[in-house]
Amino acid sequence: MKNSGDEIETVAHSFNHMVRELTLAQNRLIEVQKELATKEKMAALGRFSAGIAHEINNPLGTILVTAGMLKEASSKDTRILPEEFDEIIEEVKRCRDIISTLRTYTSRTQPSLTRMRFSDFFDRMAQQMRSVVEFNDWELAFTSAVADGDLLVDLKAMHQVFHNLIRNACDAMTGCAVRRIDIIAGKETDHFSIRFQDTGPGFQCLPEHIFEPLFTTKAQGTGLGLVICQAIIDGHHGRIEAGRIDNRITEFCIRLPLTRSDSENSGEDHR
Ligand SMILES: Nc1ncnc2c1ncn2[C@@H]1O[C@H](COP(=O)(O)OP(=O)(O)OP(=O)(O)O)[C@@H](O)[C@H]1O
Ligand SMILES: [Mg+2]
């Protein structure tokens, strides 16, 4: 018969064995998780590339057919219509747009963040957006309830976010009698919010699709505008969400983290 010392030893031994097994299982789990993440990234990349190939293939098809027709017409000396050249030019432009948007997307995933006062940043965006000539027909109303606070921001990248969201709101309100876009800034405990509101008809699809790469409901859209916005906002450690309010207003809300200023950290005011 075993004495109690032996029993304790046996229990300790089994316990140690169990700990080792658990550690091994945990390590294996971490490895599997890493593998899954890589696989998911590869799958996402695959879907993304397939989408781009599809998008570029369409205009290339039109270019090929039209160029073939032109070649045939010129050999028979038939009258060549200028529209046929236009078609080629338009489709080439579309390919160029897709490629240049993608280039911006890939080069802008890591924003270079500089610290500034939120009010300065918001004023700067208001000024830049108003000077974008193509928006002259639209009323842009910038309102801010933010008195103080700093944020870390990449101005160039954020210009692109504002531009994309405003452009989308303009597109949505084409043909509407009132064409006003409200851009409203606020401050919460740990973040700033910027709401882009338009009174267009809202989403022509399930809202969950709008952030998917290459998803568009527009004849000339590339479907990358919101993907780029999301990548830039992620790079700012923020969030972007879309929704409808009272079935009347379409809203895109950006949240950006508030950065504690040095004076707040030290309890003194150096400004
Ligand atoms: N303010 C809005 N109101 C209604 N629908 C919107 C709005 N903003 C975006 N959407 C929908 O989301 C889709 C995706 O927008 P996104 O900006 O990514 O691409 P796009 O505008 O179609 O093309 P582009 O790449 O040229 O910006 C749009 O095609 C549109 O259907
Ligand atoms: Mg867009």
Side-chain angles (χ1 to χ4, degrees):
M1 201 178 133
K2 282 183 182 177
N3 64 28
S4 60
D6 288 343
E7 276 173 18
I8 291 169
E9 200 178 321
T10 314
V11 170
H13 184 74
S14 320
F15 185 74
N16 283 342
H17 181 72
M18 207 168 71
V19 169
R20 267 199 308 278
E21 289 288 306
L22 271 175
T23 313
L24 282 176
Q26 196 187 18
N27 289 344
R28 179 72 197 124
L29 193 68
I30 293 169
E31 263 170 45
V32 170
Q33 272 170 344
K34 274 189 198 154
E35 277 168 26
L36 275 177
T38 313
K39 275 194 183 137
E40 180 49 40
K41 269 188 203 153
M42 292 307 288
L45 194 65
R47 285 197 298 274
F48 194 54
S49 320
I52 289 162
H54 173 262
E55 284 301 295
I56 293 189
N57 208 31
N58 283 345
L60 283 181
T62 315
I63 293 165
L64 200 66
V65 170
T66 320
M69 276 161 45
L70 285 174
K71 192 178 167 203
E72 208 174 309
S74 67
S75 69
K76 287 182 190 153
D77 211 18
T78 338
R79 209 168 73 84
I80 298 170
L81 300 171
E83 293 85 65
E84 288 173 300
F85 288 106
D86 287 346
E87 214 164 326
I88 291 187
I89 293 167
E90 279 312 308
E91 297 296 305
V92 170
K93 274 190 190 160
R94 192 166 146 62
C95 290
R96 188 196 55 188
D97 286 351
I98 293 172
I99 290 165
S100 76
T101 317
L102 276 173
R103 212 184 273 151
T104 333
Y105 173 54
T106 45
S107 65
R108 282 233 155 267
T109 40
Q110 279 311 324
S112 80
L113 303 173
T114 314
R115 180 176 174 151
M116 71 188 293
R117 273 174 177 253
F118 181 86
S119 50
D120 292 341
F121 155 70
F122 197 65
D123 289 349
R124 191 93 149 245
M125 287 298 122
Q127 197 186 355
Q128 287 182 4
M129 291 302 123
R130 286 203 187 99
S131 66
V132 178
V133 179
E134 55 185 314
F135 297 132
N136 269 356
D137 286 352
W138 304 86
E139 195 188 336
L140 285 184
F142 281 80
T143 323
S144 175
V146 182
D148 57 4
D150 292 1
L151 83 166
L152 291 173
V153 69
D154 179 330
L155 282 175
K156 261 196 186 165
M158 211 44 94
H159 175 105
Q160 205 179 352
V161 171
F162 273 62
H163 192 280
N164 286 352
L165 294 179
I166 291 170
R167 180 79 262 166
N168 279 349
C170 290
D171 289 346
M173 289 193 291
T174 310
C176 293
V178 181
R179 296 190 297 186
R180 178 187 157 108
I181 302 160
D182 275 293
I183 300 145
I184 307 156
K187 187 180 160 193
E188 313 288 326
T189 341
D190 61 350
H191 67 264
F192 299 103
S193 62
I194 310 165
R195 298 170 188 278
F196 294 76
Q197 299 184 339
D198 70 67
T199 48
F203 308 114
Q204 310 300 302
C205 57
L206 290 174
E208 53 263 39
H209 291 315
I210 63 173
F211 288 101
E212 284 172 15
L214 302 167
F215 177 86
T216 181
T217 55
K218 302 170 194 173
Q220 295 303 319
T222 59
L224 286 171
L226 288 177
V227 177
I228 291 169
C229 290
Q230 187 149 47
I232 294 172
I233 300 299
D234 282 351
H236 283 73
H237 312 290
R239 271 192 299 147
I240 176 166
E241 280 163 356
R244 285 280 283 171
I245 303 171
D246 300 335
N247 204 23
R248 201 172 49 86
I249 291 169
T250 311
E251 181 181 277
F252 281 82
C253 179
I254 295 175
R255 292 190 172 83
L256 296 170
L258 201 150
T259 305
R260 297 253 162 251
S261 67
D262 293 338
S263 55
E264 274 174 286
N265 287 339
S266 63
E268 294 164 34
D269 191 1
H270 298 297
R271 285 202 184 125

Short mmCIF file of all heavy atoms in Angstrom, two decimals, residues 150-203:
data_model
loop_
_atom_site.label_atom_id
_atom_site.label_comp_id
_atom_site.label_asym_id
_atom_site.label_seq_id
_atom_site.Cartn_x
_atom_site.Cartn_y
_atom_site.Cartn_z
N ASP A 150 -5.89 67.29 -28.72
CA ASP A 150 -4.97 67.00 -29.82
C ASP A 150 -5.26 65.62 -30.40
O ASP A 150 -5.83 64.76 -29.73
CB ASP A 150 -3.52 66.97 -29.31
CG ASP A 150 -3.04 68.36 -28.88
OD1 ASP A 150 -3.85 69.31 -28.97
OD2 ASP A 150 -1.89 68.46 -28.45
N LEU A 151 -4.79 65.43 -31.62
CA LEU A 151 -4.85 64.10 -32.23
C LEU A 151 -3.60 63.86 -33.05
O LEU A 151 -2.88 64.82 -33.37
CB LEU A 151 -6.12 63.94 -33.08
CG LEU A 151 -6.16 64.45 -34.51
CD1 LEU A 151 -7.35 63.89 -35.23
CD2 LEU A 151 -6.20 65.97 -34.55
N LEU A 152 -3.36 62.60 -33.37
CA LEU A 152 -2.24 62.24 -34.25
C LEU A 152 -2.85 62.01 -35.62
O LEU A 152 -3.74 61.17 -35.78
CB LEU A 152 -1.56 60.97 -33.76
CG LEU A 152 -0.78 61.11 -32.46
CD1 LEU A 152 -0.28 59.76 -31.98
CD2 LEU A 152 0.40 62.07 -32.65
N VAL A 153 -2.37 62.76 -36.62
CA VAL A 153 -3.04 62.71 -37.90
C VAL A 153 -2.08 62.84 -39.07
O VAL A 153 -1.04 63.50 -38.97
CB VAL A 153 -4.14 63.82 -37.93
CG1 VAL A 153 -3.56 65.21 -37.96
CG2 VAL A 153 -5.10 63.63 -39.09
N ASP A 154 -2.42 62.17 -40.18
CA ASP A 154 -1.70 62.34 -41.44
C ASP A 154 -2.62 63.20 -42.32
O ASP A 154 -3.66 62.72 -42.79
CB ASP A 154 -1.47 60.95 -42.07
CG ASP A 154 -0.75 61.01 -43.41
OD1 ASP A 154 -0.91 62.01 -44.12
OD2 ASP A 154 -0.04 60.05 -43.74
N LEU A 155 -2.22 64.46 -42.49
CA LEU A 155 -3.11 65.42 -43.18
C LEU A 155 -3.43 65.01 -44.61
O LEU A 155 -4.57 65.12 -45.05
CB LEU A 155 -2.50 66.81 -43.16
CG LEU A 155 -2.62 67.57 -41.85
CD1 LEU A 155 -1.87 68.87 -41.93
CD2 LEU A 155 -4.08 67.83 -41.50
N LYS A 156 -2.40 64.53 -45.33
CA LYS A 156 -2.62 64.16 -46.74
C LYS A 156 -3.60 63.00 -46.84
O LYS A 156 -4.51 63.01 -47.67
CB LYS A 156 -1.28 63.73 -47.35
CG LYS A 156 -0.63 64.80 -48.16
CD LYS A 156 0.43 64.15 -49.01
CE LYS A 156 1.25 65.17 -49.74
NZ LYS A 156 2.47 64.58 -50.26
N ALA A 157 -3.37 62.00 -45.97
CA ALA A 157 -4.25 60.83 -46.00
C ALA A 157 -5.67 61.23 -45.61
O ALA A 157 -6.65 60.79 -46.21
CB ALA A 157 -3.72 59.76 -45.05
N MET A 158 -5.78 62.10 -44.60
CA MET A 158 -7.10 62.49 -44.13
C MET A 158 -7.83 63.36 -45.16
O MET A 158 -9.05 63.29 -45.27
CB MET A 158 -6.96 63.22 -42.80
CG MET A 158 -8.11 63.05 -41.88
SD MET A 158 -8.75 61.38 -41.76
CE MET A 158 -7.88 60.81 -40.36
N HIS A 159 -7.04 64.10 -45.95
CA HIS A 159 -7.63 64.87 -47.05
C HIS A 159 -8.35 63.90 -47.99
O HIS A 159 -9.46 64.15 -48.45
CB HIS A 159 -6.51 65.62 -47.80
CG HIS A 159 -6.96 66.34 -49.03
ND1 HIS A 159 -7.11 67.70 -49.07
CD2 HIS A 159 -7.33 65.89 -50.25
CE1 HIS A 159 -7.53 68.05 -50.28
NE2 HIS A 159 -7.66 66.96 -51.01
N GLN A 160 -7.69 62.77 -48.23
CA GLN A 160 -8.27 61.77 -49.13
C GLN A 160 -9.56 61.17 -48.56
O GLN A 160 -10.53 60.96 -49.29
CB GLN A 160 -7.23 60.67 -49.34
CG GLN A 160 -7.46 59.96 -50.64
CD GLN A 160 -6.44 58.87 -50.87
OE1 GLN A 160 -5.46 58.74 -50.13
NE2 GLN A 160 -6.67 58.10 -51.90
N VAL A 161 -9.57 60.95 -47.25
CA VAL A 161 -10.77 60.41 -46.60
C VAL A 161 -11.93 61.41 -46.76
O VAL A 161 -13.04 61.04 -47.19
CB VAL A 161 -10.51 60.13 -45.10
CG1 VAL A 161 -11.80 59.79 -44.37
CG2 VAL A 161 -9.50 59.01 -44.94
N PHE A 162 -11.67 62.68 -46.44
CA PHE A 162 -12.71 63.71 -46.55
C PHE A 162 -13.20 63.80 -48.00
O PHE A 162 -14.39 63.86 -48.26
CB PHE A 162 -12.18 65.08 -46.08
CG PHE A 162 -12.31 65.30 -44.60
CD1 PHE A 162 -11.64 64.48 -43.70
CD2 PHE A 162 -13.09 66.33 -44.10
CE1 PHE A 162 -11.76 64.69 -42.34
CE2 PHE A 162 -13.23 66.53 -42.73
CZ PHE A 162 -12.55 65.71 -41.85
N HIS A 163 -12.23 63.79 -48.92
CA HIS A 163 -12.56 63.92 -50.33
C HIS A 163 -13.44 62.76 -50.79
O HIS A 163 -14.48 62.96 -51.42
CB HIS A 163 -11.26 63.98 -51.14
CG HIS A 163 -11.45 64.40 -52.56
ND1 HIS A 163 -11.89 63.53 -53.51
CD2 HIS A 163 -11.29 65.59 -53.17
CE1 HIS A 163 -11.98 64.19 -54.67
NE2 HIS A 163 -11.62 65.44 -54.49
N ASN A 164 -13.05 61.52 -50.43
CA ASN A 164 -13.82 60.34 -50.84
C ASN A 164 -15.24 60.36 -50.27
O ASN A 164 -16.20 60.07 -50.98
CB ASN A 164 -13.14 59.04 -50.38
CG ASN A 164 -11.90 58.72 -51.19
OD1 ASN A 164 -11.62 59.36 -52.19
ND2 ASN A 164 -11.14 57.73 -50.74
N LEU A 165 -15.35 60.72 -48.99
CA LEU A 165 -16.68 60.69 -48.35
C LEU A 165 -17.59 61.79 -48.91
O LEU A 165 -18.78 61.57 -49.14
CB LEU A 165 -16.56 60.81 -46.83
CG LEU A 165 -15.88 59.62 -46.13
CD1 LEU A 165 -15.79 59.85 -44.63
CD2 LEU A 165 -16.62 58.31 -46.42
N ILE A 166 -16.99 62.96 -49.17
CA ILE A 166 -17.78 64.06 -49.73
C ILE A 166 -18.18 63.74 -51.17
O ILE A 166 -19.33 63.96 -51.58
CB ILE A 166 -17.00 65.39 -49.61
CG1 ILE A 166 -16.92 65.78 -48.13
CG2 ILE A 166 -17.65 66.50 -50.43
CD1 ILE A 166 -16.00 66.93 -47.83
N ARG A 167 -17.23 63.18 -51.91
CA ARG A 167 -17.52 62.78 -53.31
C ARG A 167 -18.69 61.77 -53.34
O ARG A 167 -19.61 61.89 -54.14
CB ARG A 167 -16.24 62.14 -53.87
CG ARG A 167 -16.24 61.64 -55.26
CD ARG A 167 -16.08 62.72 -56.28
NE ARG A 167 -17.38 63.11 -56.80
CZ ARG A 167 -17.61 64.20 -57.50
NH1 ARG A 167 -16.65 65.06 -57.75
NH2 ARG A 167 -18.80 64.47 -57.95
N ASN A 168 -18.66 60.80 -52.43
CA ASN A 168 -19.74 59.80 -52.36
C ASN A 168 -21.08 60.46 -52.03
O ASN A 168 -22.11 60.12 -52.62
CB ASN A 168 -19.45 58.75 -51.28
CG ASN A 168 -18.49 57.67 -51.77
OD1 ASN A 168 -18.21 57.59 -52.95
ND2 ASN A 168 -18.00 56.87 -50.85
N ALA A 169 -21.05 61.40 -51.09
CA ALA A 169 -22.29 62.09 -50.70
C ALA A 169 -22.82 62.88 -51.89
O ALA A 169 -24.03 62.89 -52.16
CB ALA A 169 -22.02 63.01 -49.51
N CYS A 170 -21.92 63.53 -52.63
CA CYS A 170 -22.33 64.29 -53.83
C CYS A 170 -22.97 63.34 -54.85
O CYS A 170 -24.04 63.62 -55.38
CB CYS A 170 -21.14 64.96 -54.50
SG CYS A 170 -20.47 66.30 -53.57
N ASP A 171 -22.30 62.21 -55.08
CA ASP A 171 -22.84 61.23 -56.04
C ASP A 171 -24.24 60.80 -55.62
O ASP A 171 -25.14 60.68 -56.44
CB ASP A 171 -21.94 59.98 -56.12
CG ASP A 171 -20.61 60.26 -56.81
OD1 ASP A 171 -20.50 61.32 -57.46
OD2 ASP A 171 -19.70 59.42 -56.69
N ALA A 172 -24.39 60.54 -54.29
CA ALA A 172 -25.68 60.04 -53.80
C ALA A 172 -26.78 61.09 -53.97
O ALA A 172 -27.96 60.75 -54.09
CB ALA A 172 -25.56 59.65 -52.33
N MET A 173 -26.41 62.37 -53.95
CA MET A 173 -27.43 63.42 -54.01
C MET A 173 -27.61 64.01 -55.41
O MET A 173 -28.29 65.02 -55.55
CB MET A 173 -27.10 64.52 -53.01
CG MET A 173 -27.31 64.05 -51.57
SD MET A 173 -27.29 65.39 -50.41
CE MET A 173 -25.60 65.85 -50.48
N THR A 174 -27.01 63.38 -56.41
CA THR A 174 -27.18 63.87 -57.78
C THR A 174 -28.69 63.89 -58.07
O THR A 174 -29.38 62.90 -57.81
CB THR A 174 -26.46 62.93 -58.79
OG1 THR A 174 -25.15 62.73 -58.33
CG2 THR A 174 -26.45 63.51 -60.19
N GLY A 175 -29.17 65.00 -58.54
CA GLY A 175 -30.59 65.09 -58.88
C GLY A 175 -31.46 65.51 -57.70
O GLY A 175 -32.66 65.76 -57.87
N CYS A 176 -30.93 65.56 -56.50
CA CYS A 176 -31.73 66.02 -55.35
C CYS A 176 -31.85 67.54 -55.38
O CYS A 176 -30.92 68.22 -55.83
CB CYS A 176 -31.07 65.62 -54.03
SG CYS A 176 -31.03 63.86 -53.74
N ALA A 177 -32.99 68.05 -54.90
CA ALA A 177 -33.20 69.50 -54.92
C ALA A 177 -32.25 70.19 -53.93
O ALA A 177 -31.56 71.15 -54.27
CB ALA A 177 -34.65 69.81 -54.57
N VAL A 178 -32.17 69.65 -52.71
CA VAL A 178 -31.26 70.22 -51.70
C VAL A 178 -29.99 69.38 -51.74
O VAL A 178 -30.03 68.16 -51.61
CB VAL A 178 -31.88 70.16 -50.29
CG1 VAL A 178 -30.95 70.75 -49.25
CG2 VAL A 178 -33.22 70.85 -50.28
N ARG A 179 -28.84 70.07 -51.94
CA ARG A 179 -27.58 69.31 -52.01
C ARG A 179 -26.62 69.85 -50.96
O ARG A 179 -25.73 70.63 -51.26
CB ARG A 179 -27.03 69.40 -53.42
CG ARG A 179 -27.98 68.72 -54.40
CD ARG A 179 -27.40 68.57 -55.75
NE ARG A 179 -27.11 69.84 -56.40
CZ ARG A 179 -26.68 69.94 -57.65
NH1 ARG A 179 -26.49 68.86 -58.35
NH2 ARG A 179 -26.45 71.11 -58.18
N ARG A 180 -26.89 69.45 -49.74
CA ARG A 180 -26.09 69.96 -48.62
C ARG A 180 -25.44 68.78 -47.90
O ARG A 180 -26.09 67.76 -47.66
CB ARG A 180 -27.03 70.71 -47.68
CG ARG A 180 -26.35 71.26 -46.44
CD ARG A 180 -27.41 71.83 -45.51
NE ARG A 180 -26.93 71.87 -44.15
CZ ARG A 180 -26.60 72.98 -43.52
NH1 ARG A 180 -26.72 74.15 -44.11
NH2 ARG A 180 -26.17 72.93 -42.28
N ILE A 181 -24.18 68.96 -47.58
CA ILE A 181 -23.47 67.93 -46.82
C ILE A 181 -23.04 68.55 -45.50
O ILE A 181 -22.38 69.60 -45.49
CB ILE A 181 -22.24 67.41 -47.60
CG1 ILE A 181 -22.68 66.85 -48.96
CG2 ILE A 181 -21.51 66.34 -46.81
CD1 ILE A 181 -21.56 66.75 -49.97
N ASP A 182 -23.44 67.93 -44.40
CA ASP A 182 -23.05 68.42 -43.08
C ASP A 182 -21.88 67.60 -42.57
O ASP A 182 -21.94 66.36 -42.59
CB ASP A 182 -24.23 68.28 -42.11
CG ASP A 182 -25.16 69.47 -42.22
OD1 ASP A 182 -24.73 70.57 -41.84
OD2 ASP A 182 -26.29 69.30 -42.72
N ILE A 183 -20.85 68.30 -42.11
CA ILE A 183 -19.69 67.61 -41.53
C ILE A 183 -19.57 68.13 -40.10
O ILE A 183 -19.24 69.31 -39.89
CB ILE A 183 -18.43 67.85 -42.38
CG1 ILE A 183 -18.70 67.29 -43.79
CG2 ILE A 183 -17.20 67.19 -41.78
CD1 ILE A 183 -18.09 68.06 -44.88
N ILE A 184 -19.89 67.26 -39.16
CA ILE A 184 -20.04 67.70 -37.77
C ILE A 184 -18.99 67.04 -36.88
O ILE A 184 -18.90 65.80 -36.84
CB ILE A 184 -21.46 67.34 -37.26
CG1 ILE A 184 -22.51 67.88 -38.24
CG2 ILE A 184 -21.71 67.86 -35.86
CD1 ILE A 184 -23.83 67.14 -38.19
N ALA A 185 -18.23 67.86 -36.15
CA ALA A 185 -17.19 67.31 -35.27
C ALA A 185 -17.62 67.38 -33.82
O ALA A 185 -18.27 68.34 -33.39
CB ALA A 185 -15.90 68.09 -35.47
N GLY A 186 -17.28 66.35 -33.06
CA GLY A 186 -17.59 66.32 -31.63
C GLY A 186 -16.46 65.66 -30.86
O GLY A 186 -15.55 65.07 -31.45
N LYS A 187 -16.54 65.76 -29.53
CA LYS A 187 -15.48 65.16 -28.70
C LYS A 187 -16.12 64.31 -27.61
O LYS A 187 -17.05 64.78 -26.94
CB LYS A 187 -14.64 66.28 -28.08
CG LYS A 187 -13.42 65.82 -27.34
CD LYS A 187 -12.70 67.04 -26.79
CE LYS A 187 -11.77 66.67 -25.66
NZ LYS A 187 -11.31 67.85 -24.94
N GLU A 188 -15.65 63.08 -27.45
CA GLU A 188 -16.12 62.20 -26.37
C GLU A 188 -14.96 62.05 -25.39
O GLU A 188 -13.94 62.71 -25.54
CB GLU A 188 -16.51 60.82 -26.92
CG GLU A 188 -17.38 60.84 -28.17
CD GLU A 188 -18.81 61.28 -27.91
OE1 GLU A 188 -19.31 60.96 -26.82
OE2 GLU A 188 -19.40 61.95 -28.77
N THR A 189 -15.10 61.15 -24.41
CA THR A 189 -14.05 61.02 -23.39
C THR A 189 -12.68 60.70 -24.00
O THR A 189 -11.69 61.32 -23.65
CB THR A 189 -14.40 59.85 -22.41
OG1 THR A 189 -15.76 59.56 -22.51
CG2 THR A 189 -13.96 60.14 -21.01
N ASP A 190 -12.65 59.71 -24.91
CA ASP A 190 -11.34 59.29 -25.41
C ASP A 190 -11.18 59.40 -26.92
O ASP A 190 -10.22 58.90 -27.48
CB ASP A 190 -11.06 57.84 -24.96
CG ASP A 190 -12.10 56.88 -25.50
OD1 ASP A 190 -13.12 57.36 -26.04
OD2 ASP A 190 -11.89 55.67 -25.41
N HIS A 191 -12.15 59.99 -27.59
CA HIS A 191 -12.01 60.13 -29.04
C HIS A 191 -12.78 61.34 -29.58
O HIS A 191 -13.65 61.88 -28.92
CB HIS A 191 -12.49 58.84 -29.75
CG HIS A 191 -13.95 58.59 -29.61
ND1 HIS A 191 -14.47 57.76 -28.65
CD2 HIS A 191 -15.00 59.06 -30.32
CE1 HIS A 191 -15.78 57.73 -28.77
NE2 HIS A 191 -16.14 58.52 -29.77
N PHE A 192 -12.39 61.70 -30.82
CA PHE A 192 -13.14 62.73 -31.55
C PHE A 192 -14.05 61.99 -32.53
O PHE A 192 -13.72 60.89 -32.99
CB PHE A 192 -12.20 63.62 -32.36
CG PHE A 192 -11.22 64.37 -31.51
CD1 PHE A 192 -9.90 63.96 -31.43
CD2 PHE A 192 -11.62 65.49 -30.79
CE1 PHE A 192 -8.98 64.64 -30.66
CE2 PHE A 192 -10.70 66.18 -30.01
CZ PHE A 192 -9.39 65.75 -29.93
N SER A 193 -15.17 62.61 -32.87
CA SER A 193 -16.03 62.01 -33.90
C SER A 193 -16.22 63.03 -35.02
O SER A 193 -16.30 64.24 -34.75
CB SER A 193 -17.37 61.60 -33.31
OG SER A 193 -18.05 62.74 -32.83
N ILE A 194 -16.26 62.54 -36.24
CA ILE A 194 -16.57 63.42 -37.38
C ILE A 194 -17.67 62.71 -38.17
O ILE A 194 -17.47 61.58 -38.64
CB ILE A 194 -15.34 63.67 -38.28
CG1 ILE A 194 -14.15 64.11 -37.45
CG2 ILE A 194 -15.66 64.71 -39.35
CD1 ILE A 194 -12.82 64.03 -38.18
N ARG A 195 -18.82 63.37 -38.27
CA ARG A 195 -19.97 62.77 -38.95
C ARG A 195 -20.19 63.44 -40.29
O ARG A 195 -20.30 64.67 -40.34
CB ARG A 195 -21.24 62.91 -38.09
CG ARG A 195 -21.11 62.18 -36.78
CD ARG A 195 -22.23 62.49 -35.81
NE ARG A 195 -21.91 61.90 -34.52
CZ ARG A 195 -22.11 60.62 -34.21
NH1 ARG A 195 -22.68 59.82 -35.08
NH2 ARG A 195 -21.76 60.16 -33.03
N PHE A 196 -20.24 62.65 -41.34
CA PHE A 196 -20.53 63.17 -42.68
C PHE A 196 -21.97 62.79 -42.98
O PHE A 196 -22.29 61.61 -43.11
CB PHE A 196 -19.60 62.51 -43.72
CG PHE A 196 -18.16 62.89 -43.56
CD1 PHE A 196 -17.39 62.33 -42.55
CD2 PHE A 196 -17.57 63.80 -44.42
CE1 PHE A 196 -16.05 62.68 -42.39
CE2 PHE A 196 -16.23 64.15 -44.27
CZ PHE A 196 -15.48 63.59 -43.25
N GLN A 197 -22.84 63.79 -43.08
CA GLN A 197 -24.25 63.49 -43.29
C GLN A 197 -24.76 64.06 -44.61
O GLN A 197 -24.49 65.21 -44.93
CB GLN A 197 -25.07 64.10 -42.15
CG GLN A 197 -24.69 63.53 -40.78
CD GLN A 197 -25.57 64.06 -39.66
OE1 GLN A 197 -26.20 65.12 -39.81
NE2 GLN A 197 -25.62 63.35 -38.56
N ASP A 198 -25.48 63.21 -45.35
CA ASP A 198 -26.13 63.72 -46.57
C ASP A 198 -27.59 63.29 -46.57
O ASP A 198 -27.98 62.38 -45.85
CB ASP A 198 -25.39 63.24 -47.83
CG ASP A 198 -25.55 61.76 -48.11
OD1 ASP A 198 -26.67 61.33 -48.41
OD2 ASP A 198 -24.54 61.02 -48.02
N THR A 199 -28.38 63.98 -47.38
CA THR A 199 -29.81 63.69 -47.40
C THR A 199 -30.21 62.96 -48.70
O THR A 199 -31.32 63.10 -49.19
CB THR A 199 -30.63 64.99 -47.24
OG1 THR A 199 -30.10 65.94 -48.17
CG2 THR A 199 -30.58 65.54 -45.85
N GLY A 200 -29.25 62.21 -49.22
CA GLY A 200 -29.52 61.40 -50.41
C GLY A 200 -30.41 60.20 -50.06
O GLY A 200 -30.78 60.02 -48.89
N PRO A 201 -30.73 59.37 -51.03
CA PRO A 201 -31.67 58.25 -50.81
C PRO A 201 -31.12 57.08 -50.00
O PRO A 201 -31.85 56.14 -49.70
CB PRO A 201 -32.01 57.80 -52.23
CG PRO A 201 -30.85 58.21 -53.06
CD PRO A 201 -30.29 59.46 -52.44
N GLY A 202 -29.83 57.12 -49.66
CA GLY A 202 -29.26 56.03 -48.85
C GLY A 202 -28.69 54.93 -49.71
O GLY A 202 -28.55 55.08 -50.92
N PHE A 203 -28.36 53.81 -49.07
CA PHE A 203 -27.65 52.72 -49.75
C PHE A 203 -28.56 51.94 -50.70
O PHE A 203 -29.67 51.59 -50.35
CB PHE A 203 -27.02 51.77 -48.72
CG PHE A 203 -26.19 52.52 -47.71
CD1 PHE A 203 -26.57 52.57 -46.38
CD2 PHE A 203 -25.06 53.21 -48.11
CE1 PHE A 203 -25.82 53.29 -45.45
CE2 PHE A 203 -24.30 53.92 -47.19
CZ PHE A 203 -24.69 53.97 -45.87
#
